[in-house]
Amino acid sequence: MSELTGKRIRTTAGRLGLPHLAEALGQYVARADEAKMGYLDFIDLVLSEELAVREDRRFRQGLRTSKLPHHKTLDDFDFSFQPELDPRKVKDLATLSFIEDKANAALLGPPGVGKTHIAVALAVAACRAGYSIYFTSLDDMVRNLKAAEATGRLTNKLGTYLRPGVLVVDEVGYQPLERDEANLVFQVISKRYEKGSIILTSNKTFSEWGQVFGDEVLATAILDRLLHHCDVISINGPSYRLKNRLAAIEREAEVA
């Protein structure tokens, strides 16, 4: 490849919005020469590499805007610490078929058992698969919606929770809600019904949601839409946070 041809290709690649091709053209040509690639194989190489770069860029941007508290995956989850949790159920969710079906997933259990970790891991997997993600605690969502309602911007703010392909709602049940607050949650759940997936975590059983939402009828209406298409996983094991804290105390005692 002549220097003039290479310069022209780099210029064209830049104008087409393919900056990686402009940067890596020499590497592609060297690989093609080494493997004695034909024209079609070379084009396949370039297009495959460009697609991978573009997908990685999209994935990283999706994570930045998702508000996820961390980017842990299921590979980081210690299933051995939760022997009552069947890994197959979690890995079935990780196929993301429930998201394809615009269904929901609920992770129930006491604090510290790994509910948020699994929810985030599923969200990260969904983001990599091309779905838009948004993470919020229930309390933050309610607070933001109330503030928007007070200033006449409720419809606009609802879009924050309705647009993403996957909405992760963490910590349902940690604080009881007033009826008007529960009604805001109902609006989100009902408008997302069969249009987008919800992944939620809760330290309350569904039978306790009447207390959480301050109204049995409203709680039933929320559950009716949420559970119509929903995979539910209950985790009833020890706390990871307590385990880590006890390990730290033991290390401090050994040093002392």
Side-chain angles (χ1 to χ4, degrees):
M1 180 179 65
S2 69
E3 183 176 339
L4 180 60
T5 300
K7 183 177 181 180
R8 187 167 61 247
I9 292 174
R10 290 185 180 91
T11 300
T12 303
R15 294 177 65 184
L16 288 172
L18 301 172
H20 182 72
L21 172 57
E23 295 170 2
L25 179 61
Q27 298 174 30
Y28 292 155
V29 172
R31 289 170 61 182
D33 287 342
E34 183 179 352
K36 295 181 171 55
M37 289 182 183
Y39 298 122
L40 292 179
D41 288 335
F42 179 68
I43 293 174
D44 182 55
L45 166 67
V46 171
L47 294 179
S48 296
E49 291 287 342
E50 286 300 313
L51 179 61
V53 168
R54 184 165 293 188
E55 285 296 302
D56 186 64
R57 189 184 304 126
R58 180 207 55 74
F59 171 61
R60 295 181 183 280
Q61 177 63 22
L63 289 183
R64 281 195 292 272
T65 60
S66 67
K67 305 296 183 182
L68 290 170
H70 52 75
H71 300 154
K72 292 180 180 178
T73 68
L74 289 181
D75 291 337
D76 304 315
F77 191 83
D78 184 6
F79 284 98
S80 66
F81 192 69
Q82 300 292 359
E84 294 186 19
L85 173 61
D86 187 348
R88 292 173 297 182
K89 292 183 178 180
V90 179
K91 291 175 182 177
D92 281 346
L93 288 179
T95 65
L96 307 181
S97 60
F98 77 99
I99 296 176
E100 294 175 17
D101 295 336
K102 296 180 172 57
N104 306 314
L107 302 160
L108 310 181
V113 296
K115 302 185 301 296
T116 300
H117 183 149
I118 294 175
V120 168
L122 294 173
V124 169
C127 184
R128 186 172 292 282
Y131 294 97
S132 55
I133 309 297
Y134 194 81
F135 177 97
T136 180
S137 69
L138 182 70
D139 289 343
D140 283 347
M141 184 175 77
V142 168
R143 182 167 58 252
N144 289 333
L145 290 174
K146 283 183 68 177
E149 185 177 41
T151 55
R153 297 180 297 107
L154 179 60
T155 299
N156 182 60
K157 191 60 184 177
L158 278 170
T160 300
Y161 307 105
L162 300 180
R163 281 190 298 270
V166 180
L167 176 67
V168 183
V169 183
D170 198 30
E171 298 182 339
V172 175
Y174 282 80
Q175 295 290 337
L177 302 181
E178 300 294 333
R179 195 181 190 287
D180 62 325
E181 296 173 330
N183 185 60
L184 292 172
V185 177
F186 172 75
Q187 290 189 55
V188 173
I189 301 296
S190 62
K191 291 178 187 298
R192 286 191 64 89
Y193 176 61
E194 295 187 333
K195 295 179 180 178
S197 295
I198 295 174
I199 301 173
L200 69 84
T201 72
S202 178
N203 67 329
K204 303 293 187 184
T205 63
F206 292 131
S207 63
E208 298 175 293
W209 277 32
Q211 303 169 28
V212 172
F213 292 100
D215 185 294
E216 291 288 349
V217 174
L218 195 52
T220 299
I222 290 172
L223 285 170
D224 180 61
R225 288 157 179 78
L226 184 71
L227 297 181
H228 184 207
H229 309 292
C230 187
D231 290 293
V232 181
I233 293 180
S234 296
I235 310 174
N236 297 305
S239 168
Y240 284 100
R241 287 193 286 270
L242 182 58
K243 165 197 170 186
N244 294 335
R245 181 57 186 150
L246 290 175
I249 293 173
E250 289 175 1
R251 286 195 298 270
E252 292 170 2
E254 289 174 359
V255 172

